[in-house]
Amino acid sequence: MDTLELLVHPVRLRIVHALSGGRHLTTSQLCDRVPDVSKATVYRHVGLLADAGILEIEGEERVRGAVERLYRLRRERAVIDRETAMAVPPEEHRRGFAAAMTTLIAEFNAYLDREQADPAADSVGYRQHAIWLSPDELAEMIDGMRGAIAPQLANEPAPHRSQYLLSPILFPIEHPPQE
């Protein structure tokens, strides 16, 4: 299974999110992060990601008399490179987008299901803006977004940090008007 096929699955994408930022989690801890997914399903998808080298065993720990593996994400392997993305046919883009949206909905529902969920205090946002951009303005905006987001990707878990899911989505909804 190639990286694209591995990462365009909602459960596997949620596992990748859970392990982002340098976290090390056992499969049981991952199950706690995705309580709406059966344990057998989580174990199966962790196995697929580990077999593909996207997850790596960081260590092992004893949990209730059993040995459980501690996994970490290999970020450099959990990437769909530009060449692959450019070669993907429209149907694969459709499938990838559907997986991303399914994942986003599942993560948002899991957030809202937590007792301490407070959308206002947590600065939850899901705004959409339809904007007109020239190719140069689009490139400048994307560079600005990358410049703002990229440094934060290296942040590791800490007592003062909450993990947020940021999902920039960008696609044209209308072609330039005819002059």
Side-chain angles (χ1 to χ4, degrees), residues 7-158:
L7 295 178
V8 296
H9 188 282
V11 173
R12 291 190 289 267
L13 199 49
R14 290 178 73 190
I15 291 167
V16 167
H17 291 164
L19 288 164
S20 293
R23 295 183 86 184
H24 304 113
L25 300 173
T26 65
T27 309
S28 291
Q29 290 168 323
L30 287 166
C31 288
D32 292 342
R33 279 289 306 266
V34 291
D36 54 313
V37 178
S38 76
K39 288 183 180 194
T41 299
V42 173
Y43 274 83
R44 186 175 73 249
H45 289 293
V46 165
L48 287 169
L49 290 166
D51 290 346
I54 292 174
L55 301 184
E56 129 179 307
I57 298 170
E58 181 67 22
E60 295 181 339
E61 60 182 44
R62 277 220 174 280
V63 180
R64 293 182 296 277
V67 175
E68 188 152 23
R69 291 183 172 135
L70 195 62
Y71 291 95
R72 79 173 187 87
L73 178 67
R74 293 183 59 199
R75 276 193 47 200
E76 73 282 359
R77 300 287 309 259
V79 174
I80 299 167
D81 62 40
R82 183 172 169 77
E83 293 76 32
T84 301
M86 289 176 60
V88 171
E91 272 314 304
E92 285 300 308
H93 279 286
R94 191 180 322 278
R95 195 168 74 94
F97 188 80
M101 292 303 96
T102 300
T103 301
L104 191 58
I105 291 167
E107 293 278 17
F108 191 68
N109 284 334
Y111 161 74
L112 290 175
D113 288 343
R114 292 193 303 241
E115 276 187 38
Q116 71 273 25
D118 186 346
D122 293 335
S123 300
V124 170
Y126 38 85
R127 293 165 190 83
Q128 295 179 344
H129 306 281
I131 55 178
W132 291 94
L133 300 168
S134 71
D136 289 342
E137 292 166 333
L138 175 62
E140 182 180 338
M141 184 184 75
I142 290 171
D143 286 345
M145 290 170 58
R146 283 184 183 140
I149 296 168
Q152 311 313 316
L153 294 174
N155 289 353
E156 294 189 2

Side-chain angles (χ1 to χ4, degrees), residues 156-162:
E156 294 189 2
H160 65 281
R161 285 188 176 134
S162 295

